[in-house]
Amino acid sequence: GQQLNQSPQSMFIQEGEDVSMNCTSSSIFNTWLWYKQDPGEGPVLLIALYKAGELTSNGRLTAQFGITRKDSFLNISASIPSDVGIYFCAGQRRNTPLVFGKGTRLSVIA
Amino acid sequence: DARVTQTPRHKVTEMGQEVTMRCQPILGHNTVFWYRQTMMQGLELLAYFRNRAPLDDSGMPKDRFSAEMPDATLATLKIQPSEPRDSAVYFCASGLVEAQLGTGELFFGEGSRLTVL
């Protein structure tokens, strides 16, 4: 099946630092989505990307749809303690279900 | 505030018992998914429906799992008989897939945490 390689698996950063994580695939996707999951909750959609090269921001979060359509990255600027959680990338091809990465576990040290 | 609603939030049961999990998708969404999340495997797709019709359930162990959508406001996932290896968090998600685009944003419920002893 389709695989998404998400990295890094985990990160420990100081409050105020910027964070970068990415997702790559051997397959082309039409849509890239980024989710955040807090403990005991379901994943919450952060950003959706629909066009190759698209750069979209949501507050301190910025995500890009790679020009090759095989990758995407998520940046978080000036991290704060509530950014702690697991971040998932997900790719989707037309009329197929989302494929999820394994997640990046982010820890923020105050 | 539209949201996907799942019940129960937590379930502890003994091996061999039947477990039924329920999901109310967001009104107007045409696609419903069931995912299972474990530490080892991450988010695994079990089954999904489009306009209440099952499209793919290849991710489910057919001998013990079944998924149905009796109406537009209810999706169910049933495990019979349950086994300890079924212990996981089960998520329902719904979305509105546009026909032309063929993709759509997915919104998750809070999950049903199942423990099979």
Side-chain angles (χ1 to χ4, degrees):
Chain A
Q2 298 174 57
Q3 295 286 331
L4 288 186
N5 299 309
Q6 187 171 350
S7 64
Q9 270 190 313
S10 61
M11 307 179 71
F12 290 84
I13 61 167
Q14 293 280 347
E15 183 178 357
E17 288 184 355
D18 295 344
V19 173
S20 184
M21 60 191 79
N22 69 80
C23 231
T24 61
S25 172
S26 57
S27 303
I28 288 173
F29 288 106
N30 298 106
T31 301
W32 283 95
L33 305 175
W34 284 92
Y35 288 84
K36 183 195 177 195
Q37 185 177 23
D38 290 327
E41 304 292 330
V44 173
L45 182 64
L46 298 174
I47 292 179
L49 302 160
Y50 293 99
K51 293 180 183 177
E54 180 181 354
L55 186 71
T56 297
S57 292
N58 178 6
R60 293 178 296 105
L61 278 60
T62 301
Q64 184 159 27
F65 192 144
I67 199 73
T68 65
R69 295 168 65 193
K70 293 182 178 180
D71 61 348
S72 178
F73 72 75
L74 175 70
N75 285 346
I76 306 173
S77 63
S79 58
I80 58 178
S82 62
D83 290 334
V84 165
I86 304 176
Y87 292 80
F88 291 97
C89 63
Q92 189 174 21
R93 297 171 67 187
R94 184 180 171 82
N95 289 320
T96 61
L98 283 175
V99 177
F100 283 86
K102 295 280 191 185
T104 294
R105 187 178 296 272
L106 178 64
S107 300
V108 179
I109 304 167
Chain B
D1 184 26
R3 62 175 66 184
V4 176
T5 304
Q6 288 186 247
T7 56
R9 289 295 310 275
H10 302 274
K11 175 74 175 180
V12 180
T13 191
E14 293 188 343
M15 183 172 63
Q17 296 297 305
E18 176 179 304
V19 175
T20 299
M21 289 167 275
R22 293 176 174 80
C23 168
Q24 181 176 0
I26 293 173
L27 189 64
H29 282 184
N30 60 0
T31 309
V32 176
F33 298 77
W34 283 103
Y35 284 90
R36 175 170 62 185
Q37 186 178 39
T38 61
M39 287 292 290
M40 294 299 293
Q41 300 298 326
L43 280 163
E44 300 175 276
L45 178 66
L46 296 176
Y48 76 105
F49 297 79
R50 177 78 49 82
N51 297 319
R52 293 179 54 204
L55 287 191
D56 186 357
D57 62 1
S58 58
M60 286 197 318
K62 299 288 191 308
D63 55 338
R64 298 184 300 108
F65 284 60
S66 62
E68 295 180 349
M69 218 173 154
D71 63 60
T73 64
L74 177 65
T76 62
L77 180 67
K78 187 178 295 186
I79 308 174
Q80 167 64 21
S82 58
E83 297 180 2
R85 59 180 167 151
D86 300 330
S87 298
V89 182
Y90 291 80
F91 286 104
C92 175
S94 73
L96 179 61
V97 175
E98 298 179 28
Q100 189 170 7
L101 191 61
T103 63
E105 299 168 11
L106 209 57
F107 297 88
F108 282 79
E110 294 185 314
S112 294
R113 181 177 293 276
L114 174 65
T115 302
V116 183
L117 304 173

